[in-house]
Amino acid sequence: MTNVRTYNPSVRVGNWNEDIQLEEDTLKDFLEKREHGQLMYQKRTKLEQTIFKKLDLSISRDGCVHFGDIVSLRCPAKRDRTKYFANKEPRDACQLCVTPAINKILEAQKLEGPCNVTASKDLCSNLRSSFVITSIDGSKQKGEPLRYGDLFYLCTLDNEGGNLYLSSCRATLEKCAAKSRKQEVTFVSEPSFMTEWRILHYNPQMRMEYEGIPVPANAIALINHKYTNNDLAVEENFVIRTPFGTQEYEVSCHTYLDSHRAEQDVNHFMIMMGVPGDDVYPVAN
C-alpha cells in the first residue's frame, strides 16, 4: 500500500525528523494566521458582521426622494393572499439585497462585483439592502429631488459596500436569471448604459401626467431599466438559497402585465426612507 503512514514521529523510523518539522511548521503557520485574523472562518465572520450590521436610512424631510439619499427598495406583500396554489404560501413583503458568491464572502474584505441580486423577507436595513441614488452625469446635485423619468444609478455604499452599480442586460441563452430564465439583474463594478434606471408611476393611466414630478418616499412606484424598458421584478415562484443560509426570492428585470395592461404587484417597489422623528436629537439641559 502506498502513502500509508505506519509509524508516527515518536517512533523515529524513516523520515521522522522531517515529519516532526512539518507538523511544527503547520502549527506555527496556523497560529500566525489566527493571530492576524487571516483564517477563513475569521474572514467570513468579520464580513458577515459587517454585511448584517444595521444601518439608518436617510430622513425625508419633505416627503420626497433625493439624489444622494440612502434608501432601500421594498416590494409589498401580495395583495390578494386568498389565491395561491396548494402547498404554496402567498408572497411576503421583501426587499432588494446584494448576494455575493460564497468564494467572495470567504476571501473579500468588501463586496465585489459582479454580485447576484435577491429579495429577502428580512426587512431590516443593512449593508446588503441599503443603496444610494446617484446622478449619472453629475448634473443633479446631492439633495436635489428625484423626479419621475430622471435617470440615475442605484449604487451600494462606499467602503465595505464596494460602490457597485445595479445593472441588467437582455436575456440570452448564455446569460439570464438562473431559475426564471428572465432578464438577469446583477451588481457590477463599473457604470455603463446598462446601469441606468428611472422611476415610473405605477398607474399607466397617470404616467404621463406625473412625468417630472418629485418621487414621493415610501410610495409604490416602478423601477424601470432604460436600456431594455423592462421593470424590476420579484420572481415569487422561484426561491434561491443564499450563502448565508436563507431562502430568498429571485429578482429579474421583466414587466409582468395583467389583463388590463397594468404592471402586476411583483413589479411594485417602495423607495423606503426614514421620516422625521426617526432620528433622535440630544436634549439640551
Side-chain angles (χ1 to χ4, degrees), residues 179 235-241 246-250:
K179 292 190 174 183
E235 298 292 342
E236 59 183 359
N237 296 323
F238 300 97
V239 177
I240 296 177
R241 180 174 291 278
T246 58
Q247 290 187 338
E248 300 177 355
Y249 297 113
E250 185 177 69

Side-chain angles (χ1 to χ4, degrees), residues 125-236:
S125 301
N126 49 46
L127 190 68
R128 291 185 64 207
S129 61
S130 300
F131 310 104
V132 181
I133 296 177
T134 308
S135 174
I136 64 174
D137 55 4
S139 60
K140 304 293 184 179
Q141 300 298 322
K142 183 177 180 179
E144 188 172 342
L146 173 68
R147 302 177 183 275
Y148 287 101
D150 284 349
L151 297 178
F152 65 92
Y153 294 141
L154 190 70
C155 307
T156 58
L157 303 183
D158 294 332
N159 301 323
E160 291 87 354
N163 194 27
L164 305 178
Y165 298 82
L166 185 65
S167 175
S168 185
C169 188
R170 294 189 182 279
T172 63
L173 293 177
E174 294 81 13
K175 188 175 182 180
C176 58
K179 292 190 174 183
S180 64
R181 314 303 293 177
K182 297 295 192 302
Q183 188 172 308
E184 185 182 30
V185 180
T186 57
F187 274 96
V188 297
S189 303
E190 298 296 332
S192 66
F193 64 92
M194 294 186 294
T195 61
E196 297 180 3
W197 302 82
R198 58 191 172 190
I199 304 296
L200 302 179
H201 196 271
Y202 74 94
N203 187 345
Q205 295 181 343
M206 302 294 295
R207 199 158 293 165
M208 294 291 292
E209 286 78 0
Y210 273 82
E211 195 78 16
I213 295 179
V215 177
N218 305 331
I220 294 177
L222 304 178
I223 314 296
N224 180 262
H225 188 235
K226 178 201 171 186
Y227 174 58
T228 60
N229 197 31
N230 282 325
D231 299 330
L232 208 61
V234 174
E235 298 292 342
E236 59 183 359

Side-chain angles (χ1 to χ4, degrees), residues 8-28:
N8 58 46
S10 63
V11 179
R12 297 193 174 185
V13 175
N15 297 330
W16 60 270
N17 189 43
E18 289 80 356
D19 292 339
I20 292 176
Q21 188 64 41
L22 180 62
E23 290 186 357
E24 291 179 351
D25 291 343
T26 302
L27 179 60
K28 182 180 179 181

Side-chain angles (χ1 to χ4, degrees), residues 2 16 38 45 70 79 81 88 92 96 99-100 103 108 115 121 124 127 133 141 150 155 172 192-193 197 222 278:
T2 59
W16 60 270
Q38 297 178 349
T45 301
I70 300 177
R79 293 180 180 177
R81 301 178 64 88
K88 180 180 181 297
D92 295 322
L96 203 72
T99 305
N103 60 324
C115 289
K121 298 178 184 178
C124 295
L127 190 68
I133 296 177
Q141 300 298 322
D150 284 349
C155 307
T172 63
S192 66
F193 64 92
W197 302 82
L222 304 178
D278 290 344

Side-chain angles (χ1 to χ4, degrees), residues 75-78 81 89-94 234 236 249 265-266:
C75 183
K78 193 175 184 65
R81 301 178 64 88
E89 294 294 332
R91 178 178 52 79
D92 295 322
C94 54
V234 174
E236 59 183 359
Y249 297 113
D265 51 15
V266 293

